Amino acid sequence: MGIKIGVLGAGMFAKSFIPLYKVHPEVDKVVLADINTDRLRQVADTFRITETYSSLEDLCRSDVDAIAIFTQRHLHAPQTIQALRAGKHVYCAVPMAHSLEDVQAILDEVKRSGLLYMSGETSYYYPSTIYCRNRFAEGGFGDFVYGEAQYLHDLSHGFYEAFQHSGGADWKKAAGFPPMYYPTHSVSMILSVTGARATQVSCLGYRDRHEDGIYREGANLWDNPFSNETALVRTSDGGMARFNEFRRVGWSGKNCVYLSMFGTKGSYEEHAGSQVWSSLEHGSLQSLDELLHSNDYVNQQSDPDIPLALRQDFESGLSLVHDVDRLPREFEGMPNGHFGSHQFLTDDFVKAVSQHKLPPIHAWNAAKYCALGIIAHESALRGGELLSIPDFGEPSPSWNML
Ligand SMILES: NC(=O)c1ccc[n+]([C@@H]2O[C@H](COP(=O)([O-])OP(=O)(O)OC[C@H]3O[C@@H](n4cnc5c(N)ncnc54)[C@H](O)[C@@H]3O)[C@@H](O)[C@H]2O)c1
Protein backbone atom coordinates (compact mmCIF):
# COMPACT_ATOMS: atom_id res chain seq x y z
CA MET A 1 0.00 0.00 0.00
CA GLY A 2 1.26 3.48 -0.87
CA ILE A 3 1.64 6.52 1.36
CA LYS A 4 -0.50 9.61 1.81
CA ILE A 5 1.32 12.95 1.48
CA GLY A 6 0.17 16.38 2.60
CA VAL A 7 1.71 19.30 0.73
CA LEU A 8 1.93 22.41 2.93
CA GLY A 9 1.94 25.64 0.89
CA ALA A 10 0.27 25.99 -2.49
CA GLY A 11 2.86 28.46 -3.75
CA MET A 12 5.12 28.58 -6.78
CA PHE A 13 7.59 25.88 -5.77
CA ALA A 14 5.05 23.33 -4.51
CA LYS A 15 3.40 23.34 -7.94
CA SER A 16 6.57 21.83 -9.44
CA PHE A 17 6.39 18.86 -7.06
CA ILE A 18 2.67 18.09 -6.75
CA PRO A 19 2.43 16.42 -10.19
CA LEU A 20 5.44 14.23 -9.34
CA TYR A 21 4.00 13.12 -5.99
CA LYS A 22 0.71 12.40 -7.76
CA VAL A 23 2.17 9.97 -10.29
CA HIS A 24 4.71 8.30 -8.01
CA PRO A 25 3.72 4.60 -7.80
CA GLU A 26 4.35 4.46 -4.03
CA VAL A 27 1.98 7.38 -3.31
CA ASP A 28 -1.73 6.65 -2.80
CA LYS A 29 -3.00 10.15 -2.26
CA VAL A 30 -1.83 13.78 -2.25
CA VAL A 31 -3.67 16.37 -0.17
CA LEU A 32 -3.00 20.11 0.01
CA ALA A 33 -3.00 22.79 2.72
CA ASP A 34 -2.63 26.58 2.59
CA ILE A 35 -3.83 29.43 4.77
CA ASN A 36 -4.56 31.41 1.60
CA THR A 37 -7.89 29.81 0.76
CA ASP A 38 -8.23 31.31 -2.76
CA ARG A 39 -4.84 29.97 -3.73
CA LEU A 40 -5.61 26.65 -2.08
CA ARG A 41 -8.80 26.23 -4.12
CA GLN A 42 -7.13 27.29 -7.37
CA VAL A 43 -4.14 24.96 -7.02
CA ALA A 44 -6.30 22.08 -5.79
CA ASP A 45 -8.51 22.52 -8.89
CA THR A 46 -5.52 22.66 -11.24
CA PHE A 47 -4.11 19.39 -9.90
CA ARG A 48 -7.46 17.74 -9.15
CA ILE A 49 -6.79 17.45 -5.42
CA THR A 50 -10.01 16.70 -3.56
CA GLU A 51 -8.84 16.79 0.06
CA THR A 52 -7.70 20.21 1.31
CA TYR A 53 -6.95 21.90 4.63
CA SER A 54 -6.72 25.57 5.52
CA SER A 55 -4.09 25.26 8.25
CA LEU A 56 -1.09 23.21 9.31
CA GLU A 57 -2.97 22.29 12.51
CA ASP A 58 -5.76 20.64 10.49
CA LEU A 59 -3.27 18.92 8.21
CA CYS A 60 -1.45 17.58 11.29
CA ARG A 61 -4.76 16.17 12.61
CA SER A 62 -5.40 14.37 9.30
CA ASP A 63 -4.26 10.82 8.49
CA VAL A 64 -1.38 11.81 6.17
CA ASP A 65 1.84 9.82 6.66
CA ALA A 66 4.09 12.69 5.65
CA ILE A 67 4.05 16.45 5.20
CA ALA A 68 6.04 18.19 2.44
CA ILE A 69 6.66 21.81 3.47
CA PHE A 70 6.86 24.46 0.74
CA THR A 71 6.16 27.61 2.78
CA GLN A 72 8.31 30.72 2.93
CA ARG A 73 11.89 30.14 3.98
CA HIS A 74 11.76 31.74 7.44
CA LEU A 75 8.77 29.59 8.54
CA HIS A 76 10.28 26.15 8.03
CA ALA A 77 11.70 25.19 11.43
CA PRO A 78 8.64 25.70 13.68
CA GLN A 79 6.39 24.07 11.08
CA THR A 80 8.77 21.10 10.81
CA ILE A 81 8.78 20.66 14.59
CA GLN A 82 4.97 20.90 14.70
CA ALA A 83 4.60 18.26 11.98
CA LEU A 84 7.12 15.89 13.59
CA ARG A 85 5.37 16.26 16.97
CA ALA A 86 2.12 15.30 15.23
CA GLY A 87 3.80 12.07 14.13
CA LYS A 88 4.36 12.97 10.45
CA HIS A 89 7.48 12.38 8.38
CA VAL A 90 8.73 15.69 6.97
CA TYR A 91 10.19 16.87 3.67
CA CYS A 92 11.08 20.55 3.72
CA ALA A 93 12.29 22.99 1.09
CA VAL A 94 15.55 24.65 2.16
CA PRO A 95 16.67 25.92 4.57
CA MET A 96 16.11 23.55 7.49
CA ALA A 97 16.28 26.37 10.09
CA HIS A 98 18.01 29.65 10.80
CA SER A 99 18.95 29.15 14.45
CA LEU A 100 21.11 26.49 16.07
CA GLU A 101 18.38 25.91 18.67
CA ASP A 102 15.88 25.01 15.93
CA VAL A 103 18.40 22.72 14.20
CA GLN A 104 18.90 20.92 17.52
CA ALA A 105 15.13 20.78 18.20
CA ILE A 106 14.50 19.11 14.82
CA LEU A 107 17.26 16.58 15.43
CA ASP A 108 15.90 15.88 18.92
CA GLU A 109 12.40 15.24 17.50
CA VAL A 110 13.74 12.97 14.76
CA LYS A 111 15.80 10.97 17.25
CA ARG A 112 12.95 10.74 19.78
CA SER A 113 10.28 9.74 17.26
CA GLY A 114 12.19 7.70 14.68
CA LEU A 115 10.44 9.76 11.99
CA LEU A 116 12.19 10.85 8.80
CA TYR A 117 13.25 14.37 7.93
CA MET A 118 14.53 15.21 4.45
CA SER A 119 15.81 18.55 3.19
CA GLY A 120 14.87 19.43 -0.40
CA GLU A 121 18.26 20.76 -1.46
CA THR A 122 18.24 20.95 -5.25
CA SER A 123 22.03 21.43 -5.63
CA TYR A 124 22.56 17.91 -4.28
CA TYR A 125 21.31 16.58 -7.64
CA TYR A 126 22.90 19.18 -9.92
CA PRO A 127 24.99 17.51 -12.65
CA SER A 128 28.23 19.09 -11.39
CA THR A 129 27.67 17.87 -7.82
CA ILE A 130 26.78 14.35 -8.97
CA TYR A 131 29.85 14.24 -11.23
CA CYS A 132 32.16 15.39 -8.40
CA ARG A 133 30.54 12.98 -5.90
CA ASN A 134 31.16 10.06 -8.26
CA ARG A 135 34.75 11.14 -9.01
CA PHE A 136 35.50 11.66 -5.33
CA ALA A 137 34.08 8.26 -4.36
CA GLU A 138 36.27 6.49 -6.92
CA GLY A 139 39.39 8.35 -5.67
CA GLY A 140 39.83 10.65 -8.68
CA PHE A 141 40.28 13.77 -6.55
CA GLY A 142 42.66 12.16 -4.05
CA ASP A 143 42.43 14.14 -0.81
CA PHE A 144 40.21 17.19 -0.76
CA VAL A 145 42.27 20.39 -0.70
CA TYR A 146 40.01 23.34 -1.55
CA GLY A 147 36.59 24.06 -2.97
CA GLU A 148 34.55 27.08 -3.91
CA ALA A 149 30.85 27.28 -4.49
CA GLN A 150 28.50 30.17 -4.97
CA TYR A 151 24.87 31.01 -5.28
CA LEU A 152 24.62 34.30 -7.18
CA HIS A 153 21.03 35.48 -7.34
CA ASP A 154 20.25 39.18 -7.63
CA LEU A 155 16.95 40.23 -6.06
CA SER A 156 15.85 41.67 -9.40
CA HIS A 157 15.94 38.16 -10.94
CA GLY A 158 12.48 37.09 -9.85
CA PHE A 159 13.03 37.46 -6.12
CA TYR A 160 10.99 40.66 -5.70
CA GLU A 161 8.00 38.85 -7.22
CA ALA A 162 8.66 35.68 -5.19
CA PHE A 163 8.73 37.57 -1.87
CA GLN A 164 5.69 39.68 -2.80
CA HIS A 165 3.73 36.56 -3.77
CA SER A 166 2.98 35.67 -0.13
CA GLY A 167 4.62 38.43 1.87
CA GLY A 168 1.74 40.95 1.91
CA ALA A 169 2.40 44.60 2.75
CA ASP A 170 5.39 43.60 4.90
CA TRP A 171 7.15 41.55 2.21
CA LYS A 172 10.41 43.47 2.55
CA LYS A 173 10.80 42.34 6.16
CA ALA A 174 11.16 38.72 5.06
CA ALA A 175 13.08 39.58 1.88
CA GLY A 176 15.98 40.87 4.01
CA PHE A 177 16.77 37.27 5.08
CA PRO A 178 20.55 37.10 5.67
CA PRO A 179 22.16 35.46 2.62
CA MET A 180 24.08 33.02 4.85
CA TYR A 181 20.78 31.86 6.42
CA TYR A 182 20.08 30.37 2.99
CA PRO A 183 23.51 28.78 2.41
CA THR A 184 22.66 25.27 1.34
CA HIS A 185 22.66 25.70 -2.46
CA SER A 186 26.41 26.39 -2.30
CA VAL A 187 27.45 24.56 0.89
CA SER A 188 25.81 21.23 0.04
CA MET A 189 27.72 21.04 -3.23
CA ILE A 190 31.07 20.62 -1.50
CA LEU A 191 30.05 18.89 1.74
CA SER A 192 27.90 16.33 -0.08
CA VAL A 193 30.89 15.39 -2.24
CA THR A 194 33.43 14.89 0.56
CA GLY A 195 31.10 13.94 3.42
CA ALA A 196 33.16 16.16 5.75
CA ARG A 197 31.68 18.90 7.90
CA ALA A 198 32.74 22.50 8.35
CA THR A 199 34.52 23.11 11.65
CA GLN A 200 35.43 26.82 11.56
CA VAL A 201 34.31 29.85 9.56
CA SER A 202 35.25 33.46 9.03
CA CYS A 203 32.75 35.48 7.02
CA LEU A 204 32.57 39.03 5.67
CA GLY A 205 29.41 40.88 4.70
CA TYR A 206 28.74 43.53 2.06
CA ARG A 207 26.70 46.40 3.57
CA ASP A 208 23.92 46.99 1.11
CA ARG A 209 23.32 50.46 -0.34
CA HIS A 210 20.39 49.84 -2.70
CA GLU A 211 17.51 52.32 -2.58
CA ASP A 212 14.93 49.56 -1.93
CA GLY A 213 16.20 49.57 1.70
CA ILE A 214 15.61 45.83 2.18
CA TYR A 215 18.98 45.02 3.75
CA ARG A 216 19.30 47.48 6.65
CA GLU A 217 19.36 47.31 10.43
CA GLY A 218 15.75 47.80 11.53
CA ALA A 219 14.29 47.13 8.06
CA ASN A 220 13.96 43.34 8.21
CA LEU A 221 13.12 40.66 10.78
CA TRP A 222 16.81 39.92 11.42
CA ASP A 223 18.26 43.46 11.55
CA ASN A 224 20.42 42.29 8.67
CA PRO A 225 22.49 44.90 6.79
CA PHE A 226 24.21 42.46 4.37
CA SER A 227 23.05 41.57 0.85
CA ASN A 228 26.21 39.60 -0.01
CA GLU A 229 28.29 37.37 2.26
CA THR A 230 31.58 35.51 1.67
CA ALA A 231 32.70 32.74 4.02
CA LEU A 232 36.09 31.03 4.33
CA VAL A 233 35.82 27.65 5.98
CA ARG A 234 38.00 24.89 7.48
CA THR A 235 36.64 21.40 6.91
CA SER A 236 36.97 18.32 9.15
CA ASP A 237 39.08 16.51 6.52
CA GLY A 238 41.77 19.23 6.70
CA GLY A 239 40.50 21.04 3.59
CA MET A 240 39.45 24.63 2.94
CA ALA A 241 36.45 26.11 1.18
CA ARG A 242 35.02 29.48 0.18
CA PHE A 243 31.28 30.09 -0.20
CA ASN A 244 29.62 33.14 -1.75
CA GLU A 245 25.95 33.84 -1.10
CA PHE A 246 25.13 36.99 -3.10
CA ARG A 247 21.71 38.66 -3.48
CA ARG A 248 22.91 41.93 -4.99
CA VAL A 249 25.13 41.04 -7.87
CA GLY A 250 25.36 41.96 -11.56
CA TRP A 251 25.38 38.44 -12.89
CA SER A 252 23.22 36.68 -15.49
CA GLY A 253 24.88 33.32 -16.07
CA LYS A 254 23.05 30.36 -17.52
CA ASN A 255 23.13 29.07 -13.98
CA CYS A 256 23.42 30.82 -10.64
CA VAL A 257 24.98 27.99 -8.61
CA TYR A 258 28.64 27.22 -9.37
CA LEU A 259 31.15 24.76 -8.00
CA SER A 260 34.91 24.17 -8.29
CA MET A 261 36.88 21.60 -6.29
CA PHE A 262 40.59 20.83 -6.11
CA GLY A 263 42.14 17.61 -4.79
CA THR A 264 45.68 16.25 -4.49
CA LYS A 265 45.19 14.14 -7.65
CA GLY A 266 42.42 15.77 -9.70
CA SER A 267 40.21 18.84 -9.91
CA TYR A 268 36.88 20.01 -11.27
CA GLU A 269 36.66 23.63 -12.34
CA GLU A 270 33.67 25.60 -13.51
CA HIS A 271 33.65 29.11 -14.90
CA ALA A 272 30.85 31.02 -16.57
CA GLY A 273 29.41 28.08 -18.43
CA SER A 274 32.50 25.92 -19.03
CA GLN A 275 33.15 22.85 -16.92
CA VAL A 276 36.42 20.91 -16.98
CA TRP A 277 38.14 17.98 -15.29
CA SER A 278 41.91 18.16 -14.86
CA SER A 279 44.22 15.61 -13.26
CA LEU A 280 47.91 14.82 -12.76
CA GLU A 281 47.38 11.48 -14.51
CA HIS A 282 45.98 12.96 -17.75
CA GLY A 283 47.91 16.10 -18.62
CA SER A 284 45.23 17.92 -20.61
CA LEU A 285 41.90 19.44 -19.62
CA GLN A 286 38.81 17.35 -20.28
CA SER A 287 35.71 19.31 -21.22
CA LEU A 288 32.58 18.18 -19.40
CA ASP A 289 30.17 20.61 -21.07
CA GLU A 290 28.30 17.93 -22.99
CA LEU A 291 28.21 15.41 -20.15
CA LEU A 292 26.87 17.91 -17.63
CA HIS A 293 24.46 19.76 -19.90
CA SER A 294 20.87 19.71 -18.61
CA ASN A 295 18.27 19.25 -21.30
CA ASP A 296 15.78 22.06 -21.38
CA TYR A 297 12.51 20.76 -20.14
CA VAL A 298 10.09 22.60 -22.40
CA ASN A 299 6.80 22.85 -20.60
CA GLN A 300 4.15 23.97 -23.05
CA GLN A 301 2.02 25.19 -20.16
CA SER A 302 4.52 27.27 -18.20
CA ASP A 303 3.15 28.40 -14.87
CA PRO A 304 2.36 32.14 -15.31
CA ASP A 305 3.05 32.68 -11.56
CA ILE A 306 6.73 31.87 -12.05
CA PRO A 307 8.65 35.05 -12.90
CA LEU A 308 10.29 34.92 -16.35
CA ALA A 309 13.77 35.19 -14.83
CA LEU A 310 13.19 31.97 -12.86
CA ARG A 311 11.64 29.92 -15.66
CA GLN A 312 14.94 28.41 -16.79
CA ASP A 313 15.61 27.14 -13.26
CA PHE A 314 12.09 25.83 -12.78
CA GLU A 315 12.03 24.03 -16.12
CA SER A 316 15.48 22.49 -16.62
CA GLY A 317 15.77 18.76 -17.05
CA LEU A 318 18.10 15.79 -16.93
CA SER A 319 21.75 15.44 -17.96
CA LEU A 320 23.84 12.41 -18.94
CA VAL A 321 25.17 11.98 -15.38
CA HIS A 322 21.73 11.57 -13.86
CA ASP A 323 20.88 7.98 -12.97
CA VAL A 324 17.56 8.02 -14.77
CA ASP A 325 17.05 4.26 -14.44
CA ARG A 326 16.41 4.52 -10.70
CA LEU A 327 13.43 6.84 -11.23
CA PRO A 328 9.90 5.46 -11.56
CA ARG A 329 8.80 4.96 -15.16
CA GLU A 330 5.85 7.23 -14.41
CA PHE A 331 8.22 10.26 -14.25
CA GLU A 332 9.10 9.99 -17.94
CA GLY A 333 7.92 13.15 -19.72
CA MET A 334 6.81 14.69 -16.42
CA PRO A 335 7.88 18.17 -15.26
CA ASN A 336 11.35 18.57 -13.84
CA GLY A 337 13.41 21.56 -12.73
CA HIS A 338 16.56 22.92 -11.12
CA PHE A 339 18.82 20.90 -13.40
CA GLY A 340 16.95 17.64 -13.09
CA SER A 341 16.81 17.61 -9.29
CA HIS A 342 13.04 17.75 -8.69
CA GLN A 343 12.40 14.19 -9.79
CA PHE A 344 15.23 12.77 -7.66
CA LEU A 345 14.21 14.70 -4.54
CA THR A 346 10.61 13.53 -4.91
CA ASP A 347 11.62 9.92 -5.48
CA ASP A 348 14.06 9.94 -2.53
CA PHE A 349 11.46 11.18 -0.08
CA VAL A 350 8.67 8.86 -1.19
CA LYS A 351 10.95 5.81 -1.15
CA ALA A 352 12.47 6.82 2.20
CA VAL A 353 9.03 7.01 3.81
CA SER A 354 7.59 3.91 2.22
CA GLN A 355 10.72 1.80 2.94
CA HIS A 356 11.54 3.59 6.23
CA LYS A 357 15.16 4.25 5.23
CA LEU A 358 17.24 7.41 5.59
CA PRO A 359 17.32 9.55 2.43
CA PRO A 360 20.68 11.05 1.37
CA ILE A 361 19.78 14.58 2.56
CA HIS A 362 18.70 13.45 6.04
CA ALA A 363 18.43 15.66 9.12
CA TRP A 364 22.10 15.33 10.14
CA ASN A 365 23.32 16.35 6.67
CA ALA A 366 20.81 19.19 6.54
CA ALA A 367 22.18 20.34 9.93
CA LYS A 368 25.74 20.35 8.53
CA TYR A 369 24.71 22.52 5.56
CA CYS A 370 22.69 24.92 7.69
CA ALA A 371 24.86 25.35 10.77
CA LEU A 372 27.75 26.63 8.67
CA GLY A 373 25.61 29.51 7.37
CA ILE A 374 24.14 30.38 10.76
CA ILE A 375 27.61 30.73 12.29
CA ALA A 376 28.94 32.45 9.15
CA HIS A 377 26.37 35.23 9.48
CA GLU A 378 27.31 35.64 13.15
CA SER A 379 30.96 35.95 12.09
CA ALA A 380 30.04 38.59 9.48
CA LEU A 381 28.23 40.60 12.17
CA ARG A 382 31.44 40.38 14.23
CA GLY A 383 33.62 41.67 11.38
CA GLY A 384 34.93 38.30 10.21
CA GLU A 385 35.88 36.74 13.56
CA LEU A 386 36.91 33.08 13.18
CA LEU A 387 34.19 31.02 14.90
CA SER A 388 33.74 27.31 15.60
CA ILE A 389 30.81 25.46 14.08
CA PRO A 390 29.05 22.97 16.36
CA ASP A 391 29.01 19.31 15.44
CA PHE A 392 25.48 17.90 15.32
CA GLY A 393 26.77 14.36 14.84
CA GLU A 394 25.77 11.55 12.51
CA PRO A 395 22.67 9.34 12.33
CA SER A 396 22.66 6.17 14.39
CA PRO A 397 24.33 3.26 12.51
CA SER A 398 21.12 1.29 13.04
CA TRP A 399 19.48 3.29 10.25
CA ASN A 400 19.46 1.71 6.79
CA MET A 401 20.33 4.16 4.03
CA LEU A 402 18.19 4.47 0.93
N1 LIG B 1 16.04 25.68 -5.58
C1 LIG B 1 15.32 25.59 -4.49
O1 LIG B 1 15.61 24.79 -3.62
C2 LIG B 1 14.12 26.49 -4.30
C3 LIG B 1 13.57 27.19 -5.38
C4 LIG B 1 12.43 27.95 -5.16
C5 LIG B 1 11.87 28.03 -3.89
N2 LIG B 1 12.46 27.36 -2.87
C6 LIG B 1 11.89 27.42 -1.50
O2 LIG B 1 10.57 26.90 -1.51
C7 LIG B 1 9.81 27.55 -0.53
C8 LIG B 1 8.50 28.04 -1.13
O3 LIG B 1 8.78 29.05 -2.09
P1 LIG B 1 7.63 29.63 -3.00
O4 LIG B 1 8.27 30.57 -3.93
O5 LIG B 1 6.78 28.54 -3.51
O6 LIG B 1 6.78 30.45 -1.90
P2 LIG B 1 5.32 31.04 -2.05
O7 LIG B 1 5.31 32.29 -1.26
O8 LIG B 1 4.92 31.09 -3.48
O9 LIG B 1 4.39 29.94 -1.35
C9 LIG B 1 4.38 29.72 0.03
C10 LIG B 1 2.96 29.29 0.41
O10 LIG B 1 2.95 28.83 1.77
C11 LIG B 1 1.71 29.23 2.36
N3 LIG B 1 1.81 29.19 3.83
C12 LIG B 1 2.60 29.96 4.65
N4 LIG B 1 2.37 29.63 5.93
C13 LIG B 1 1.45 28.64 5.95
C14 LIG B 1 0.83 27.88 6.98
N5 LIG B 1 1.10 28.08 8.27
N6 LIG B 1 -0.06 26.94 6.64
C15 LIG B 1 -0.36 26.71 5.35
N7 LIG B 1 0.20 27.40 4.30
C16 LIG B 1 1.09 28.35 4.61
C17 LIG B 1 1.52 30.64 1.81
O11 LIG B 1 0.19 31.07 1.94
C18 LIG B 1 1.95 30.44 0.34
O12 LIG B 1 0.88 30.11 -0.51
C19 LIG B 1 10.68 28.66 0.05
O13 LIG B 1 11.24 28.24 1.23
C20 LIG B 1 11.75 28.83 -0.97
O14 LIG B 1 12.96 29.26 -0.42
C21 LIG B 1 13.56 26.58 -3.05
Side-chain angles (χ1 to χ4, degrees):
M1 205 171 101
I3 60 170
K4 183 168 174 180
I5 291 194
V7 171
L8 184 77
M12 291 196 279
F13 202 39
K15 285 190 276 181
S16 301
F17 288 82
I18 291 170
L20 298 173
Y21 286 131
K22 284 201 75 170
V23 302
H24 197 290
E26 290 169 56
V27 174
D28 266 356
K29 192 165 187 187
V30 179
V31 313
L32 184 63
D34 200 299
I35 44 174
N36 180 327
T37 45
D38 287 345
R39 193 176 291 168
L40 175 65
R41 198 174 321 112
Q42 196 188 8
V43 175
D45 285 352
T46 303
F47 295 107
R48 300 201 176 114
I49 294 176
T50 50
E51 191 176 325
T52 59
Y53 296 90
S54 55
S55 71
L56 173 56
E57 288 69 27
D58 287 347
L59 182 61
C60 283
R61 276 192 287 269
S62 77
D63 64 347
V64 295
D65 301 291
I67 295 182
I69 300 177
F70 291 95
T71 57
Q72 296 95 306
R73 59 193 66 188
H74 60 293
L75 305 176
H76 294 168
Q79 293 175 343
T80 296
I81 295 164
Q82 193 176 338
L84 288 168
R85 286 190 181 150
K88 312 300 182 189
H89 301 288
V90 171
Y91 172 100
C92 188
V94 295
M96 178 192 215
H98 57 273
S99 78
L100 296 179
E101 292 73 25
D102 280 346
V103 171
Q104 187 62 59
I106 293 171
L107 284 169
D108 288 347
E109 273 311 314
V110 164
K111 284 188 240 175
R112 183 194 60 75
S113 63
L115 292 163
L116 295 162
Y117 171 90
M118 173 172 160
S119 183
E121 178 41 67
T122 44
S123 294
Y124 187 92
Y125 283 115
Y126 273 25
S128 52
T129 317
I130 295 172
Y131 177 82
C132 287
R133 218 163 26 238
N134 293 343
R135 277 281 184 172
F136 190 82
E138 70 197 22
F141 277 94
D143 290 335
F144 171 65
V145 175
Y146 169 78
E148 48 191 41
Q150 44 254 339
Y151 174 42
L152 314 180
H153 194 149
D154 193 79
L155 279 192
S156 68
H157 274 190
F159 262 161
Y160 286 126
E161 296 93 316
F163 283 111
Q164 284 162 1
H165 192 233
S166 307
D170 272 347
W171 67 272
K172 284 188 180 179
K173 288 196 173 159
F177 203 58
M180 277 292 166
Y181 281 2
Y182 195 91
T184 62
H185 290 342
S186 63
V187 170
S188 68
M189 291 184 124
I190 291 173
L191 298 190
S192 80
V193 169
T194 63
R197 71 176 190 90
T199 56
Q200 287 179 301
V201 60
S202 165
C203 181
L204 296 177
Y206 169 86
R207 275 186 183 272
D208 198 59
R209 301 173 209 152
H210 195 280
E211 62 197 17
D212 65 20
I214 287 174
Y215 297 103
R216 298 283 191 284
E217 277 109 345
N220 56 64
L221 297 173
W222 303 274
D223 265 342
N224 169 42
F226 303 130
S227 52
N228 300 317
E229 295 184 305
T230 292
L232 189 61
V233 163
R234 164 68 71 197
T235 51
S236 56
D237 50 6
M240 302 158 285
R242 189 272 290 142
F243 299 103
N244 287 340
E245 287 290 336
F246 290 176
R247 308 291 175 262
R248 199 78 86 184
V249 56
W251 172 254
S252 299
K254 69 164 187 175
N255 178 0
C256 53
V257 184
Y258 285 88
L259 166 71
S260 289
M261 291 187 67
F262 301 83
T264 51
K265 287 189 184 162
S267 302
Y268 167 84
E269 196 179 22
E270 181 167 1
H271 276 301
S274 93
Q275 300 160 304
V276 296
W277 173 257
S278 172
S279 68
L280 295 176
E281 199 181 337
H282 303 287
S284 58
L285 295 180
Q286 181 190 345
S287 170
L288 304 172
D289 292 346
E290 210 178 306
L291 184 70
L292 303 186
H293 175 74
S294 266
N295 290 316
D296 294 336
Y297 164 74
V298 185
N299 184 352
Q300 295 303 319
Q301 293 167 323
S302 278
D303 180 350
D305 278 349
I306 296 172
L308 266 182
L310 297 181
R311 291 261 168 94
Q312 193 185 4
D313 273 358
F314 273 69
E315 295 172 4
S316 53
L318 298 162
S319 73
L320 293 171
V321 288
H322 281 110
D323 179 12
V324 184
D325 293 342
R326 59 149 270 193
L327 294 172
R329 265 185 308 111
E330 289 78 355
F331 279 6
E332 230 175 89
M334 291 296 289
N336 210 336
H338 289 90
F339 300 92
S341 61
H342 293 187
Q343 296 194 354
F344 288 89
L345 293 171
T346 306
D347 187 48
D348 275 354
F349 185 58
V350 172
K351 284 184 176 149
V353 172
S354 70
Q355 299 169 23
H356 206 71
K357 290 182 177 168
L358 271 192
I361 322 175
H362 51 63
W364 291 264
N365 278 341
K368 275 186 208 167
Y369 306 159
C370 233
L372 187 161
I374 294 167
I375 301 292
H377 183 62
E378 180 61 28
S379 167
L381 292 171
R382 298 198 211 173
E385 193 180 325
L386 184 68
L387 298 176
S388 294
I389 301 167
D391 182 359
F392 287 98
E394 299 292 334
S396 153
S398 62
W399 272 105
N400 288 321
M401 295 298 298
L402 197 60

